[in-house]
Amino acid sequence: MNPEDFLTEAESVRIWRQFFDRVHTLTRRLPQAERDDIRLEIASHLSDSVEQQDSSNETDRLRLAIGKLGDPEEFVRPMVADRLLTVGGRSMNPRAIAVAVYYSLYGGIRTTVLAIVVGLGYALSFTFAAMALGKILFPGHVGLFLNDDGPFILGGTLHPEAVTPEVLGWWIVPLATMTSIILYVGLSKALRLLKTTRSPPSL
Amino acid sequence: MNDVTDPADVLRKRISSWESQARKGVLELVILLHLSRKEMYGYELIRTIKQGAELNLSEGTIYPLLNRLQKVGLIDSRWAEMDSGKPRKYYHLTQLGTDYLPALKEAWWEFSQSIGEMLEER
């Protein structure tokens, strides 16, 4: 479907092409016939959507139509994954299958990895807070112990006499507290940022 | 920022959000139901569905779902060209889809009934 056939404004045509560049990128791993099929269906949808709006401004109508359709990253990717699996299965091409599986897992793995990293981050933040509190409650047992005989200990130990010297003293309280807060705030900000870059929930 | 939120408003929004999620859960059934009555193309389908209920759903999300239903053989598609020259991909139920739909409807009623019974308890 040629945009120039039914779009009259240069700006609309530009927006249209820009949108389909994104679709094109997402479908690049598919055979040409599949790419054309997806592209044509989306184009047909957009053209219907543009036609059925009231606004007289064509560019506004197209922008709204694209907005209602949603992020191509959200709805094209699962289609590509599915079709790659079908195509890959038919061709028995291991590379095609690997790519398809990657696309299928992409959404899931990203979320899982993020969850683990964030979870560990918060746990670490809590550990530092506990360290600061521990120093106040058990001053002799908490600190940074530079062990002459082995690895150093940052934290608490049941046998401080075995791991001298302790080098931070009371400085560990403000240092650990600050680290804990920085981690916590940093993680929360990062989480908010990551959540807002995700597109609206799909099926 | 205005901190005064009407609790009734909060509840209404929460219920609306739940309902939206619940409808998404039965989208497959809804699509098959529509297609059992009439052959439809993607845009027509999502518009019909959205007329029935306001879903927080981008229109594009119907396509991977249609793709999947086609992949498992419940629906099939054909390209048709309108008089205007515009191409449209029409979807319809396959024989498998036609056989599957009553079973899916039955499953839905059983599920709905079991929830209803749960609500009746206490």
Side-chain angles (χ1 to χ4, degrees), chain A residues 37 41 44-45 48 52 69, chain B residues 47 59 63 86-87 91:
Chain A
D37 186 76
E41 191 166 24
S44 177
H45 180 120
D48 275 328
Q52 301 204 357
L69 185 57
Chain B
R47 212 190 42 208
E59 291 175 354
Y63 292 109
K86 178 188 295 195
Y91 294 90

Side-chain angles (χ1 to χ4, degrees), chain A residues 92-130:
Chain A
M92 290 185 293
N93 179 348
R95 187 165 167 276
I97 294 173
V99 171
V101 171
Y102 164 76
Y103 275 111
S104 298
L105 293 178
Y106 175 86
I109 280 193
R110 181 179 183 272
T111 315
T112 309
V113 167
L114 278 176
I116 290 176
V117 169
V118 167
L120 285 176
Y122 277 118
L124 201 60
S125 164
F126 176 76
T127 307
F128 277 107

Side-chain angles (χ1 to χ4, degrees), chain B residues 4 7 17 21-22 33 44 53 58-59 66 76 81 87 99 106 112:
Chain B
V4 176
S17 163
Q21 281 301 119
L33 213 54
E44 188 185 7
S58 336
E59 291 175 354
L66 286 169
D76 206 355
E81 194 173 289
D99 296 338
E106 181 63 39
S112 166

